[in-house]
Amino acid sequence: VKVLIQVCGWLVGIPLEILVIVALIRGEYRRFPLVFFYAIATFVSTLVEVAFYAGFHGNAAASRQFAKIYWVNDWILQVLVFATVLSLIDQAISPFPWRRMMRAGLTAGALLFASVSFWLLYRPPPTKIGYWMTPWTRDLGVCGWVLDLVLWSMLIASRQKDRRLLLISGALGMQFTGEAIGEAIRLLSMPSMLKAITLIGSVAYMLTNLACFYVLWQTFRSRPRSPPP
């Protein structure tokens, strides 16, 4: 069942990632370069995981190597998505004189939170990487959700509504929320290694990622409306 769900996720996710990349190439990648890089990185990491999983599935040593590749990809994507949210916040606050101060404060706060969480949760080998990476990823998801909530609040409060920024913020907010929930559900299975609970967490994680890329595709596939005269 787990393999079937994973394959279905790839069959839906890979075309969605391609559609987002193609839609951005049509012009919006200039305004949202980090969203573009994040979409490309997600696509490449998915291809790497598919190739490795297809070639070495069933081998214990290869499964451990696959887990390492998965978490390295996750690190890279977490950094990119955090940078993406911060860049969107930077766009939202561009008219204000306190832009630099807020940018520096949010960046420092996010880095401090991630570093403290890593320091508290990290466990050296022989502890399996998933035992400490799962709660750390959950914490990063919560931090990302808070940053995205800040962005959403500023966009809602702004007199000039930027529909694209609102949709991108909403898409990333869904992803952060789903990832945090998925990782929290996975943590429930850690003590007894209940596969059914782990599967539920993985499905929640996957579905919100698919929803995020679907919203991004719908956002970028249409041309931006010209402002009224």
Side-chain angles (χ1 to χ4, degrees):
V1 176
K2 182 179 179 181
V3 175
L4 178 61
I5 292 174
Q6 180 67 79
V7 171
C8 290
W10 284 331
L11 289 176
V12 177
I14 291 176
L16 274 177
E17 291 160 9
I18 293 173
L19 287 171
V20 171
I21 293 170
V22 171
L24 280 163
I25 287 175
R26 292 175 179 172
E28 286 296 275
Y29 74 92
R30 296 184 180 90
R31 184 185 174 192
F32 303 104
L34 285 174
V35 177
F36 183 57
F37 290 142
Y38 175 65
I40 292 176
T42 302
F43 175 64
V44 172
S45 67
T46 303
L47 292 184
V48 170
E49 290 174 10
V50 169
F52 202 92
Y53 192 84
F56 300 96
H57 178 63
N59 183 285
S63 296
R64 290 192 294 271
Q65 187 65 27
F66 175 79
K68 292 180 181 178
I69 291 173
Y70 171 84
W71 289 117
V72 168
N73 286 341
D74 196 57
W75 281 338
I76 296 171
L77 294 178
Q78 288 289 351
V79 170
L80 276 175
V81 77
F82 265 74
T84 298
V85 175
L86 290 172
S87 72
L88 296 176
I89 291 175
D90 196 50
Q91 284 194 33
I93 62 177
S94 57
F96 302 103
W98 37 264
R99 171 184 182 181
R100 292 183 179 179
M101 184 184 300
M102 186 170 184
R103 179 203 302 161
L106 289 173
T107 303
L111 290 174
L112 180 62
F113 179 87
S115 301
V116 171
S117 177
F118 180 85
W119 178 70
L120 292 173
L121 295 171
Y122 175 73
R123 297 293 181 270
T127 303
K128 291 183 178 180
I129 189 172
Y131 277 91
W132 62 268
M133 270 296 297
T134 298
W136 189 54
T137 303
R138 176 207 57 196
D139 289 352
L140 292 181
V142 172
C143 182
W145 178 83
V146 171
L147 287 174
D148 193 72
L149 183 62
V150 171
L151 171 61
W152 180 266
S153 300
M154 288 190 299
L155 292 172
I156 292 296
S158 175
R159 292 181 180 179
Q160 295 182 345
K161 298 294 187 288
D162 191 322
R163 180 175 176 273
R164 295 220 161 186
L165 273 180
L166 279 167
L167 287 171
I168 297 168
S169 174
L172 294 176
M174 284 192 300
Q175 178 171 317
F176 284 130
T177 304
E179 288 179 354
I181 293 173
E183 298 297 357
I185 294 174
R186 286 177 180 176
L187 282 174
L188 295 176
S189 71
M190 286 294 185
S192 52
M193 295 302 293
L194 296 176
K195 292 184 178 180
I197 296 179
T198 304
L199 186 61
I200 293 172
S202 299
V203 170
Y205 191 104
M206 180 187 71
L207 289 178
T208 50
N209 273 272
L210 294 178
C212 172
F213 270 84
Y214 177 77
V215 173
L216 290 177
W217 171 49
Q218 292 296 319
T219 301
F220 293 119
R221 69 193 293 254
S222 58
R223 294 181 179 274
R225 296 179 181 178
S226 56

